Amino acid sequence: MADFQLLQPRGGPLLPPVFDAFCDFEPLPLNCEAWPVSEPHSGGAVQEFHSSLATSNSSDWNWPTRPVVFVSDPHADAESFLRSLVAAGVICRTGAGLADFTLTGFGHLAHVVVGGDCLDKGPSNLDMLDTLSALFATGAKVTLLAGNHDLRLMLAVRALATPRNPLTEHLFVRMGRKALPLLREVWHRFGSDQRLTRLPSEAKCRERICPSESWFDEFPKAAAPHLAPEAINKELRRLREKGSQFTQNVADAGLTMREVFGAALLCHELFLQPTGPYHWFFQRMDVILQTGSVLFVHAGLDDSMCELLVQDGPAAVNTRFRRDAKRDLFAFYFGPIANLVRTKYRASDKVLTDHGVRLLHQAGLKLVVQGHVNNHNGQRLLAKRGLLHLEADVTLDRASRAREGLSGIGAGATLIYPSGDIIGLSSDYPKAKHFHPHCVGLQAQMPQPRAQQKEFA
């Protein structure tokens, strides 16, 4: 059943065959090219990239023992997620339904890493979660990483379920605007007239959801131990903007405040209670994965996470993620753990310096594979803060694609082989990008083109 030559593809095909008769895969690349790191759409500052690569190549790379398929930021578009798995050769679709698929031989071998941000945008959060559940049910080896959009739902829902205080009473409005499509779905699928009659009035629900006027005076004092003055002022500005727009956002979503409040309570039951049908989503979630010299995370690192990772290992980082997420919501979201899913290495983010990068290199960690930063021409490979990063969010979901001028349904995945070959697949770039740290600029090996729409035997 398993095609073991795909474990060592240097002498064989770099692209697994596609087995699917239910989609149009004409935009998928059939051949490889050497990763164009000098092109802005596929790389970054070339001098910094080569300097970081030289540092990484000064010692041996360790590669995963099985192929890794990284798919990130599906953003509630189950169809794009499935097409990405098909494009990577992981599944064979057996019907038009979102759960109609089986693993291919390569899919049985591969380790699928979902890089976070399964939620928000659309067209359907619940379809995306049901499809992800179906992937787990196949017995595939799957790691689910947290994204900032995923954590927003958890924080918004928990904020309503905990006693109000100046550090948490604004969090639903702070986090909940982008979760409104999911709240609408949840209410339409699980809400009822009976539930609605048990809810407080529209005015009371609005009062419970929105921060009080006194919050703007109380928050700066409460947040002072956690945030710098400029960060506090930024939060105040954001809440004034979001608060003034939130009522309209709710109306635009076709909801009342009572329905929003009721949907949030339902989400608490569905996602956070042990008996909830989507309880598995946050329970199965990690925040970081290390395979050899490669680190998978939604966004990026800071020095404190580098220290914890190197000293105690990735399990300690994931343990702290689960522990801190259950404690102080505000300290968690603005702390170093949530920085792993939020950072873009801005001045307002936790800092990654030469110290943290040096620790990673000394521990043999050389490449960060991330989502979070979406691109329009496939994956990008660049140095950030002196550390190699592969940006693997290729704009899958239809909502983002329509807003950003991309047509159709996205498909794409990043494949990392035990041989050290890395392949960036995207339906928005004409060829698959091929990178090997010891073969930069050399022609990609592609003895035969990708096979498409075969019957899987």
Side-chain angles (χ1 to χ4, degrees):
M1 177 177 65
D3 189 355
F4 286 99
Q5 72 170 342
L6 292 174
L7 284 170
Q8 299 290 336
R10 295 291 289 165
L14 287 166
L15 298 179
V18 169
F19 304 105
D20 196 286
F22 296 93
C23 299
D24 174 17
F25 277 93
E26 185 177 349
L28 279 180
L30 300 178
N31 294 287
C32 288
E33 69 175 13
W35 201 296
V37 292
S38 62
E39 298 293 334
H41 60 67
S42 295
V46 177
Q47 184 175 353
E48 283 132 3
F49 168 79
H50 283 287
S51 175
S52 184
L53 180 62
T55 302
S56 297
N57 283 342
S58 64
S59 59
D60 290 338
W61 286 69
N62 293 314
W63 298 102
T65 57
R66 60 199 296 171
V68 177
V69 174
F70 185 80
V71 179
S72 191
D73 297 75
H75 280 299
D77 196 327
E79 180 62 31
S80 71
F81 179 67
L82 286 175
R83 292 188 183 202
S84 298
L85 295 178
V86 171
V90 171
I91 63 171
C92 170
R93 296 181 76 172
T94 57
L98 294 176
D100 296 337
F101 59 86
T102 60
L103 294 179
T104 65
F106 181 73
H108 282 284
L109 287 174
H111 181 177
V112 178
V113 181
V114 182
D117 278 1
C118 291
L119 303 181
D120 294 349
K121 299 186 180 180
S124 173
N125 291 270
L126 298 181
D127 281 354
M128 177 63 218
L129 293 173
D130 293 340
T131 299
L132 184 57
S133 179
L135 179 63
F136 280 115
T138 64
K141 182 175 177 59
V142 181
T143 295
L144 173 63
L145 297 181
N148 55 310
H149 286 257
D150 308 319
L151 292 188
R152 278 177 180 154
L153 173 69
M154 181 182 70
L155 292 170
V157 170
R158 286 193 57 209
L160 281 190
T162 55
R164 285 165 72 90
N165 70 69
L167 289 177
T168 61
E169 69 176 82
H170 69 298
L171 286 180
F172 191 88
V173 172
R174 171 76 161 80
M175 309 292 176
R177 178 181 63 84
K178 291 186 177 180
L180 286 173
L182 170 59
L183 294 171
R184 180 179 61 235
E185 283 186 69
V186 165
W187 184 254
H188 288 168
R189 184 181 294 191
F190 298 100
S192 65
D193 290 339
Q194 185 179 12
R195 279 184 175 269
L196 192 62
T197 59
R198 295 200 299 263
L199 294 174
S201 68
E202 182 78 359
K204 288 289 185 183
C205 288
R206 184 190 307 275
E207 184 180 316
R208 184 65 183 87
I209 287 170
C210 299
S212 63
E213 279 300 316
S214 63
W215 178 85
F216 290 92
D217 295 321
E218 296 167 351
F219 175 76
K221 302 170 189 174
H226 304 280
L227 297 178
E230 57 269 25
I232 292 173
N233 290 332
K234 186 177 180 181
E235 281 299 293
L236 293 172
R237 286 196 305 272
R238 280 185 173 179
L239 258 294
R240 287 193 178 95
E241 293 169 3
K242 292 188 176 188
S244 65
Q245 298 167 358
F246 193 72
T247 299
Q248 187 60 49
N249 296 148
V250 170
D252 291 344
L255 296 168
T256 66
M257 285 291 184
R258 293 181 77 205
E259 289 169 335
V260 169
F261 187 67
L265 297 180
L266 273 169
C267 283
H268 196 274
E269 296 176 24
L270 297 170
F271 287 89
L272 302 181
Q273 295 299 319
T275 56
Y278 296 109
H279 182 250
W280 59 268
F281 181 60
F282 291 113
Q283 286 297 112
R284 298 197 70 150
M285 194 173 280
D286 287 330
V287 75
I288 203 166
L289 171 71
Q290 179 184 346
T291 58
S293 296
V294 185
L295 196 68
F296 299 89
V297 65
H298 181 66
L301 297 157
D302 75 316
D303 281 357
S304 68
M305 287 297 100
C306 293
E307 291 170 357
L308 179 60
L309 178 65
V310 169
Q311 291 171 7
D312 298 329
V317 179
N318 288 324
T319 297
R320 181 169 166 184
F321 164 64
R322 293 188 175 86
R323 183 197 70 193
D324 289 3
K326 295 177 181 178
R327 294 184 177 178
D328 187 323
L329 298 182
F330 184 83
F332 167 71
Y333 187 70
F334 288 98
I337 285 288
N339 187 71
L340 292 165
V341 307
R342 298 173 60 229
T343 185
K344 290 184 179 177
Y345 300 112
R346 300 159 294 199
S348 58
D349 294 322
K350 302 295 181 184
V351 177
L352 176 65
T353 69
D354 291 345
H355 167 69
V357 174
R358 187 165 52 251
L359 286 176
L360 295 181
H361 283 156
Q362 290 171 353
L365 285 160
K366 301 168 183 285
L367 173 66
V368 172
V369 179
Q370 59 159 108
H372 193 50
V373 180
N374 73 304
N375 297 292
H376 293 176
N377 291 280
Q379 295 83 343
R380 295 179 74 220
L381 188 58
L382 65 163
K384 299 180 183 182
R385 301 294 192 269
L387 181 65
L388 289 177
H389 283 66
L390 195 161
E391 293 179 350
D393 175 358
V394 293
T395 317
L396 296 179
D397 69 281
R398 276 166 275 184
S400 293
R401 293 177 68 81
R403 186 175 63 251
E404 297 174 23
L406 298 174
S407 61
I409 300 173
T414 302
L415 289 79
I416 301 177
Y417 290 99
S419 60
D421 292 288
I422 299 176
I423 302 296
L425 288 170
S426 170
S427 57
D428 297 315
Y429 193 76
K431 291 189 177 182
K433 303 171 186 178
H434 172 224
F435 170 77
H436 191 288
H438 300 310
C439 305
V440 176
L442 300 181
Q443 182 60 38
Q445 297 183 25
M446 189 59 195
Q448 61 188 62
R450 175 199 289 270
Q452 279 196 291
Q453 298 198 2
K454 289 183 177 179
E455 182 178 353
F456 180 62

